[in-house]
Amino acid sequence: MVRALASISELVSSGRLVPQPADAAALVAVLLAGRRDPEAAEANRATYAPWSDVMLYEAGLRAARVIVQAAGYRIDAAKGAHAVTIDAADVLTDQRHHPAFTRLQRMRRRRNDFMYETAPDPANADLDRARLDVSLLLDVAQTAVDGIS
């Protein structure tokens, strides 16, 4: 069963998103950091694949945050903020990149397992797909920043 995404108006009315003017300079800095994450992930891939996966997730999360913030929203810091950020970015991009955001949600869960539980190492195919998804999402985030007036 596919989970329905909340609308932006639902996220705002529930307090998960708060209207806030976009700060293009700050978002550019976040994007620059996000573009370095895949390089760091690649450097760690052979020696510590789970950490590489976490770095790729962080890059994807940065991209999602930039998309949401470029649209004029701040994400609350309550439990589940990462999931809300990813879902809001998916909705704000009209779900044009829904498969990449769905895989980013899976990466979020793997990151949680790695950080707080135990989990098997990600397969090379998972890391390859994650790198492609993150690259796409960073480009989408760049377009969102470019659109700030």
Side-chain angles (χ1 to χ4, degrees):
M1 182 172 186
V2 176
R3 176 177 61 87
L5 297 174
S7 70
I8 296 303
S9 61
E10 290 169 327
L11 292 171
V12 170
S13 67
S14 68
R16 297 309 312 251
L17 294 181
V18 178
Q20 176 177 298
D23 180 346
L27 296 178
V28 167
V30 172
L31 269 176
L32 288 173
R35 294 213 183 266
R36 287 191 305 264
D37 289 335
E39 296 168 18
E42 194 60 32
N44 284 282
R45 183 177 178 148
T47 57
Y48 204 10
W51 195 244
S52 180
D53 195 41
V54 168
M55 290 176 188
L56 289 168
Y57 166 71
E58 290 297 327
L61 180 62
R62 288 181 207 265
R65 279 184 30 229
V66 166
I67 291 165
V68 172
Q69 291 175 335
Y73 299 99
R74 177 180 54 80
I75 303 108
D76 77 350
K79 182 176 173 63
H82 288 197
V84 168
T85 302
I86 296 165
D87 284 352
D90 195 0
V91 171
L92 286 165
T93 58
D94 297 322
Q95 295 187 309
R96 286 186 310 271
H97 309 289
H98 184 68
F101 284 115
T102 298
R103 287 187 293 268
L104 188 61
Q105 289 286 14
R106 281 194 290 260
M107 290 174 70
R108 178 185 59 77
R109 289 188 292 275
R110 281 198 314 261
R111 174 214 172 256
N112 193 63
D113 289 345
F114 169 69
M115 299 299 280
Y116 305 108
E117 307 289 336
T118 58
D121 286 0
N124 279 328
D126 293 330
L127 294 173
D128 290 343
R129 180 76 253 175
R131 188 176 182 88
L132 290 171
D133 287 343
V134 164
S135 178
L136 167 72
L137 295 177
L138 288 167
D139 289 346
V140 171
Q142 181 66 60
T143 301
V145 170
D146 293 345
I148 296 173
S149 43

